[in-house]
Amino acid sequence: MSLAVLYSRALAGMQAPLVTVETHIANGLPSFTIVGLPETEVKESKDRVRAALQTAHFKIPAQRITVNLAPADLPKESGRFDLPIALGILAASGQIPDDKLDQYEWAGELALTGELRPIHGALAMTYHAAQSGRSFVLPQYNAAEAALVKRAHVYPAQSLLQICAHLTGNAPLTVYNDPPNINNNIPDYPDISEVKGQAKVKRALEIAAAGNHSVLMIGPPGTGKSMLAARFPGILPPMTEDEALESAALQSLSQGSFDTANWKRRPYRAPHHTASGVALVGGGSHPRPGEISLAMHGVLFLDELAEFDRKVLEVLREPLESGKITISRAARQAEFPARFQLIAAMNPCPCGYLGHHSGKCHCTPDQIARYRGKISGPLLDRIDLQIEVPAIPQEELMRQQTTGEKSDVIRHRVKQSRKRQLMRQNKANSQLNVKEIDRYCAHDKSCEALLNQAINRLNLSARAYHRILKLARTIADLSDAETISSQHIAEAIQYRRMDRY
């Protein structure tokens, strides 16, 4: 047969569209052509494939070889198409049987020795291959990662010869059944009890964890802001299977593979304040996820928030609201999920010691205003909790034993609160839309009077008003209260610290 058809996958954001690899061998002057909008890495496949076939002692037909990667308008990149191209040539030239090729999808970069090298995005490709009902053949290195997809039939291979032996029936490949290196226990996060004092701040972080709210911590240097942020993932509820798979797929796209030892461990991303907007949202000629997507279902910690470039911070507006980011380029568009939890920290003034008991601060009101003005009002509007982290009293600091609650105690309360939210509305409180706020955040007239007073005094926007209601709903859930009371509203209002300035 002079025509062979195999299936593989491309990558477009979080999607892995099907690619049909058609190989045709015809009479004519010897040539090797790859069509279907291939990028440079794919065009170079013909040299890798030719050398791999020769090393494996297969014959390369001295004819006109044409490989079509369909659909033609979808850009194809990376070396993952080496394997299906090589198998297509062998099947079209009759050197291997072609009766089972349509039962599998194939991906793998070939070394010149015929060995299979790792690919990136294996998790996303395996997920879509499982939905199509076909098995997936890929390099041995990516097998543990791909096996995280339930109902997927993964066949790992080390070389082209091993796959050919499978297709001829001489040495069939076996489905990957080794359980991934998954720790079913709660991941080992730093414990929040290690932070001395700061009981009010820990209470605010508990509320944030329960309702998936964003937080801004403001305080002098050395008050524990970074320590609290690093321990915040430890009080979040455990990840579900779907959340863990989505987070792992994004890390696989960015890093080339996913370490299964981090399965169900919430991501914690802390980019430096010199990071660019592209580093945060993602981009590139072949769009890759940025920090906000890599923090999916985890924590994005922005330390020294006021030191970030203002334009960089503004890119956070849309994903904080919508939970996704769309990267548009001239040739293509890619959409990545970005349902992260923002934890930010900043000093109260340029020197950092405004309000500190040491009296070190000598910043002028203009300097303080310019410093805080680096964070725009619309961005602050989207941060639910804005809390002060005061200096720790000396006697508390020198106390040898901590007295605060441990992370697992707080996490239990957070888990119960989140469970109530999911049973009531099937989502966290922070994700409620306006119609759902009216339905689930009902309050009495005493609450209305308190809200009216806050709106008038703090000049709250409609968004800030709605976020106060969602925050109050979370506080009520932590108290196991069915309705929102004025006490819940009052606590929610006090967390809008920056609205007072």
Side-chain angles (χ1 to χ4, degrees):
M1 183 178 181
S2 61
L3 178 66
V5 179
L6 294 91
Y7 300 104
S8 187
R9 294 276 167 181
L11 289 174
M14 279 289 287
Q15 302 301 313
L18 182 68
V19 174
T20 304
V21 182
E22 302 168 334
T23 305
H24 183 259
I25 299 178
N27 293 329
L29 293 174
S31 64
F32 193 159
T33 307
I34 300 177
V35 298
L37 211 58
E39 300 286 348
T40 303
E41 305 100 310
V42 183
K43 291 178 181 178
E44 293 171 347
S45 288
K46 57 186 177 183
D47 297 314
R48 292 192 296 269
V49 168
R50 189 189 303 276
L53 291 177
Q54 289 175 339
T55 305
H57 302 291
F58 287 108
K59 294 180 180 178
I60 300 177
Q63 295 172 282
R64 184 179 182 86
I65 302 173
T66 304
V67 177
N68 179 38
L69 305 176
D73 59 346
L74 177 68
K76 321 297 188 307
E77 47 85 26
S78 94
R80 76 177 70 90
F81 299 106
D82 290 2
L83 178 59
I85 290 174
L87 294 175
I89 293 174
L90 295 177
S93 60
Q95 298 180 69
I96 60 172
D98 63 352
D99 55 330
K100 297 180 181 179
L101 294 178
D102 59 350
Q103 299 175 15
Y104 305 92
E105 293 184 12
W106 315 82
E109 180 181 332
L110 286 174
L112 302 188
T113 60
E115 301 292 315
L116 286 177
R117 286 181 170 154
I119 56 175
H120 73 272
L123 201 54
M125 289 188 286
T126 306
Y127 176 77
H128 289 87
Q131 289 185 321
S132 72
R134 285 184 285 266
S135 302
F136 197 48
V137 182
L138 77 173
Q140 178 80 40
Y141 180 87
N142 300 107
E145 170 191 354
L148 294 173
V149 181
K150 291 185 176 180
R151 300 182 300 276
H153 293 85
V154 177
Y155 287 89
Q158 295 180 342
S159 66
L160 177 62
L161 279 174
Q162 193 177 9
I163 293 174
C164 293
H166 170 75
L167 292 172
T168 57
N170 294 328
L173 296 172
T174 56
V175 176
Y176 187 86
N177 288 321
D178 294 336
N181 183 22
I182 295 175
N183 181 10
N184 290 320
N185 298 321
I186 296 172
D188 185 21
Y189 299 109
D191 201 284
I192 200 168
S193 64
E194 297 171 359
V195 181
K196 295 182 178 180
Q198 306 297 8
K200 293 182 179 179
V201 182
K202 291 176 182 178
R203 162 67 176 173
L205 291 179
E206 179 180 343
I207 296 169
N212 196 40
H213 302 286
S214 51
V215 180
L216 171 61
M217 296 183 287
I218 309 162
T223 54
K225 300 187 295 296
S226 298
M227 284 185 68
L228 287 164
R231 285 150 182 76
F232 184 75
I235 66 173
L236 291 172
M239 296 181 82
T240 65
E241 290 285 335
D242 289 341
E243 287 177 343
L245 188 60
E246 194 169 22
S247 175
L250 281 161
Q251 294 178 53
S252 173
L253 286 173
S254 173
Q255 302 167 4
S257 63
F258 172 72
D259 185 357
T260 55
N262 292 326
W263 177 249
K264 286 195 173 182
R265 184 180 181 88
R266 292 199 180 265
Y268 180 80
R269 310 291 298 189
H272 193 261
H273 64 259
T274 56
S276 66
V278 173
L280 286 186
V281 303
S285 56
H286 304 295
R288 296 286 182 90
E291 292 290 341
I292 63 174
S293 294
L294 295 176
M296 183 71 179
H297 301 305
V299 176
L300 177 68
F301 177 50
L302 300 183
D303 200 6
E304 305 296 345
L305 186 68
E307 300 299 333
F308 279 81
D309 187 271
R310 185 184 175 109
K311 291 182 179 179
V312 172
L313 292 178
E314 295 309 297
V315 305
L316 295 172
R317 287 195 199 178
E318 292 84 356
L320 276 173
E321 206 66 34
S322 65
K324 61 183 180 181
I325 185 71
T326 302
I327 301 171
S328 298
R329 295 293 180 264
R332 67 179 73 180
Q333 188 179 71
E335 183 176 285
F336 295 105
R339 189 67 68 184
F340 61 95
Q341 197 155 356
L342 175 65
I343 306 295
M346 62 178 286
N347 295 326
C349 66
C351 78
Y353 289 98
L354 179 67
H356 194 270
H357 57 76
S358 64
K360 292 181 181 179
C361 180
H362 299 289
C363 299
T364 66
D366 286 344
Q367 288 174 324
I368 297 171
R370 282 196 301 270
Y371 181 77
R372 293 180 176 175
K374 293 180 180 179
I375 305 166
S376 69
L379 178 59
L380 278 174
D381 235 13
R382 290 167 166 83
I383 300 178
D384 298 336
L385 292 96
Q386 303 155 14
I387 53 179
E388 184 175 359
V389 186
I392 305 172
Q394 184 175 342
E395 58 275 12
E396 182 73 31
L397 182 63
M398 298 182 70
R399 186 179 299 166
Q400 303 217 350
Q401 291 186 346
T402 57
T403 57
E405 290 182 311
K406 291 188 174 294
S407 292
D408 56 352
V409 176
I410 300 175
R411 182 172 55 247
H412 177 72
R413 293 197 297 265
V414 168
K415 184 179 177 181
Q416 294 303 314
S417 174
R418 185 69 66 88
K419 185 178 179 180
R420 294 187 193 98
Q421 297 167 38
L422 295 177
M423 290 180 63
R424 181 178 62 237
Q425 66 227 11
N426 201 32
K427 61 175 71 173
N429 287 333
S430 66
Q431 299 169 20
L432 294 174
N433 58 37
V434 176
K435 186 176 181 180
E436 291 167 335
I437 290 173
D438 293 338
R439 180 178 178 182
Y440 299 117
C441 301
H443 47 275
D444 55 28
K445 290 187 176 180
S446 62
C447 294
E448 288 184 7
L450 191 58
L451 284 166
N452 282 328
Q453 189 177 10
I455 291 172
N456 292 330
R457 286 192 178 184
L458 304 179
N459 293 320
L460 298 178
S461 67
R463 180 185 288 111
Y465 166 74
H466 287 140
R467 288 183 178 267
I468 286 174
L469 287 177
K470 290 188 281 189
L471 197 58
R473 178 68 267 175
T474 301
I475 296 170
D477 288 332
L478 280 169
S479 304
D480 199 13
E482 290 295 329
T483 59
I484 297 174
S485 68
S486 57
Q487 181 180 355
H488 303 141
I489 293 288
E491 185 175 0
I493 292 172
Q494 76 170 357
Y495 292 127
R496 303 291 303 187
R497 182 180 186 278
M498 293 295 284
D499 290 323
R500 304 172 196 170
Y501 298 97

